[in-house]
Amino acid sequence: MQECDVVVVGAGPSGSTAARYAAVRGARVLLHEEHAEVGEPVQCAGLFSENALKACDIEQSERCIVHPIRGAFIYSPGGRELCIDSHRDIAYVVERCLLDRLMADRALDSGAEIILKSHVTGVGEYDGGARVVKFNNGGEIQYVRSKVVIGADGAQSTVGRLAGLDAPGRMLSGVQFEVAYDVRDENFVEVFLGSEFAPGFFAWSVPLTDSIARVGICCYSTTQGEAVKNLRNLIETHPVVSGRCRDSVLGLNMGGVPLEPPGKTVGDGIMIVGDAAGHVKPTSGGGVYMGATCAKIAGEVAADAVGKGDSSAKALAGYEQGWRNAVGRELSIGLKLHDIFRNLSDRELDKAIEALGDESLMRLIVEYGDMDHPSILIRKLLMHRSSPAVFKSLVKAWLRDKGYRTTS
Ligand SMILES: Cc1cc2nc3c(=O)[nH]c(=O)nc-3n(C[C@H](O)[C@H](O)[C@H](O)COP(=O)(O)OP(=O)(O)OC[C@H]3O[C@@H](n4cnc5c(N)ncnc54)[C@H](O)[C@@H]3O)c2cc1C
């Protein structure tokens, strides 16, 4: 049977990063991807913060970058509008398929081997310091013995479960059409709020050109079909979107958006990372920044454990500690904010958007707004004298509900 140090399952941004960082540290790495090509099918709006690009080690001049974004138009359920203009580039629209391929190429250049059309179907017990991984490679069943297996197999991950780890706590649905669209400004995204169109979360348009946009929603829905229905409703009846969308739908993509990492992401000879581990920002549903950040730690810890000849759960525990130190606090604050936001009524959203239009609050948003660390801005907003009363009282009510003491 073939032997290796680290098997990584899934060549998305998390898998390619983990494979690359493990290979750079000297591990023999096999990266399995079930599709014939890396990067397909795309399940992404392709909106990346500067930090997300850095986490992926991608430069702003690379060919996967479409154009920069400097702000957002936010539309409340009752038709109020808020324009946030940072007056500088704060994010980028990317071609996700190209980005995934660039990242996989870099894993390859670092010494990892990529096996395409290889669907991992089994992960054996940890025995003698390794696990046997079963995979279907273009119709042929094969096995490889590996000291560490890294499950970077996305939202519908099975690798962690096969090795006895729990799934993330909740799953939202993301659905998106690429459509002909009268784009308001190529450097601004649009965000649409309200229970009618995106219950519990939000809808968006991300401009690709001045006449094409990715229009999508991420929401709590029982089925993907229900999420598609919500998106159609947005496109056909939303006062802003319906006026901008032209007839032609150029593409559709959809997927799960997992939130809330499980209590354990490490076991004997096993780690999970990225969407598979719920490394997704609860305030936006974006997963690439956190996935790549955590994957670097996973790759390095895996290689170091192999180097020391011990890949037990204890030897891999540095990964769990490392990623929780890096993003754990932001994830748990993000989840609290997500739940507060999710419980706002349409009326409260209208009031909050109106209040955030205040000039001094807007200055705070522009100065402290950070797509990857929203807790910094939220703290500033809550401390500010003009902060929306509705927002403050909701936070207090939520904290009381969770058993925290608050001042009156
Ligand atoms: C509609 C939508 C829009 C989104 N927009 C954004 C956005 O704008 N910005 C952002 O940051 N995030 C966005 N996200 C989230 C983002 O796409 C994910 O967080 C990100 O792709 C996670 O990366 P990953 O490497 O962990 O998993 P994935 O990118 O899902 O990669 C997993 C890989 O594993 C492979 N695989 C799965 N099972 C197996 C198996 N058994 N054997 C072999 N291979 C396997 C899959 O084929 C896939 O290539 C969006 C999600 C959705 C659904």
Side-chain angles (χ1 to χ4, degrees):
M1 188 188 307
Q2 195 185 359
E3 306 230 343
C4 79
D5 295 330
V6 180
V7 159
V8 180
V9 186
S14 310
S16 290
T17 303
R20 178 173 162 214
Y21 276 73
V24 163
R25 268 175 133 87
R28 285 170 304 151
V29 181
L30 292 181
L31 174 55
H32 290 258
E33 169 54 49
E34 63 188 0
H35 291 101
E37 286 180 282
V38 170
E40 300 278 4
V42 172
Q43 293 175 331
C44 192
L47 183 66
F48 280 38
S49 64
E50 281 179 315
N51 284 336
L53 286 185
K54 271 191 206 138
C56 294
D57 298 320
I58 295 286
E59 301 288 330
Q60 286 147 18
S61 55
E62 294 194 73
R63 63 195 163 95
C64 59
I65 307 289
V66 182
H67 60 75
I69 291 293
R70 65 164 218 256
F73 298 111
I74 302 179
Y75 303 89
S76 80
R80 293 187 192 285
E81 191 184 310
L82 183 71
C83 172
I84 301 174
D85 186 350
S86 292
H87 300 288
R88 64 179 185 90
D89 299 339
I90 50 166
Y92 295 85
V93 179
V94 306
E95 278 303 350
R96 207 12 235 281
C97 174
L98 290 182
L99 176 123
D100 282 22
R101 285 180 192 171
L102 272 174
M103 293 181 76
D105 279 351
R106 281 170 198 173
L108 207 61
D109 291 344
S110 304
E113 189 183 329
I114 302 187
I115 311 181
L116 295 171
K117 285 202 269 186
S118 173
H119 178 63
V120 169
T121 55
V123 178
E125 293 288 316
Y126 188 67
D127 185 14
R131 289 178 183 265
V132 173
V133 176
K134 179 180 176 188
F135 57 101
N136 181 333
N137 190 196
E140 193 187 330
I141 302 297
Q142 297 183 33
Y143 298 87
V144 56
R145 212 176 121 76
S146 181
K147 292 166 191 151
V148 181
V149 179
I150 301 181
D153 50 336
Q156 308 301 333
S157 164
T158 51
V159 166
R161 250 64 71 230
L162 288 168
L165 297 174
D166 289 333
R170 43 180 127 165
M171 184 76 79
L172 278 71
S173 297
V175 190
Q176 176 181 269
F177 288 149
E178 201 165 295
V179 287
Y181 195 81
D182 290 334
V183 168
R184 181 167 173 184
D185 187 319
E186 266 183 79
N187 297 118
F188 284 74
V189 296
E190 292 177 307
V191 175
F192 309 100
L193 306 175
S195 57
E196 190 187 343
F197 299 103
F201 218 21
F202 69 95
W204 65 82
S205 85
V206 171
L208 264 187
T209 66
D210 63 357
S211 57
I212 299 177
R214 295 169 180 154
V215 178
I217 58 164
C218 185
C219 61
Y220 283 88
S221 58
T222 44
T223 60
Q224 292 275 352
E226 197 184 306
V228 173
K229 230 166 87 187
N230 281 334
L231 179 55
R232 285 201 185 284
N233 186 30
L234 176 92
I235 285 178
E236 283 160 16
T237 66
H238 188 282
V240 174
V241 185
S242 62
R244 299 231 170 96
C245 271
R246 301 284 153 251
D247 272 348
S248 27
V249 172
L250 310 167
L252 160 73
N253 71 64
M254 59 172 91
V257 176
L259 300 183
E260 249 186 277
K264 256 175 42 181
T265 56
V266 157
D268 288 325
I270 182 86
M271 297 163 156
I272 48 174
V273 68
D275 272 20
H279 293 148
V280 174
K281 285 178 288 182
T283 44
S284 71
V288 176
Y289 164 68
M290 288 209 173
T293 302
C294 299
K296 286 180 181 171
I297 304 168
E300 290 179 350
V301 170
D304 289 353
V306 168
K308 289 180 188 149
D310 178 5
S311 61
S312 65
K314 204 168 156 207
L316 301 180
Y319 164 59
E320 182 97 40
Q321 266 164 22
W323 78 252
R324 288 191 192 276
N325 287 344
V327 300
R329 187 165 174 276
E330 200 59 51
L331 268 175
S332 79
I333 293 175
L335 207 57
K336 291 181 177 99
L337 293 173
H338 174 99
D339 283 337
I340 291 167
F341 177 82
R342 184 183 171 190
N343 289 320
L344 291 178
S345 67
D346 285 353
R347 224 174 129 249
E348 287 163 334
L349 281 171
D350 280 331
K351 278 189 175 175
I353 293 296
E354 183 185 5
L356 287 172
D358 174 279
E359 224 176 277
S360 58
L361 290 178
M362 187 53 74
R363 271 201 299 276
L364 279 186
I365 295 174
V366 170
E367 188 172 352
Y368 294 103
D370 179 338
M371 285 164 69
D372 303 304
H373 307 101
S375 62
I376 301 168
L377 173 63
I378 295 297
R379 221 177 13 248
K380 294 276 175 200
L381 284 177
L382 282 176
M383 277 159 31
H384 195 274
R385 63 191 148 70
S386 318
S387 181
V390 57
F391 191 56
K392 278 185 175 165
S393 59
L394 268 153
V395 173
K396 282 186 181 167
W398 183 86
L399 289 172
R400 269 198 303 277
D401 189 47
K402 296 278 168 194
Y404 296 98
R405 274 190 357 181
T406 60
T407 49
S408 65

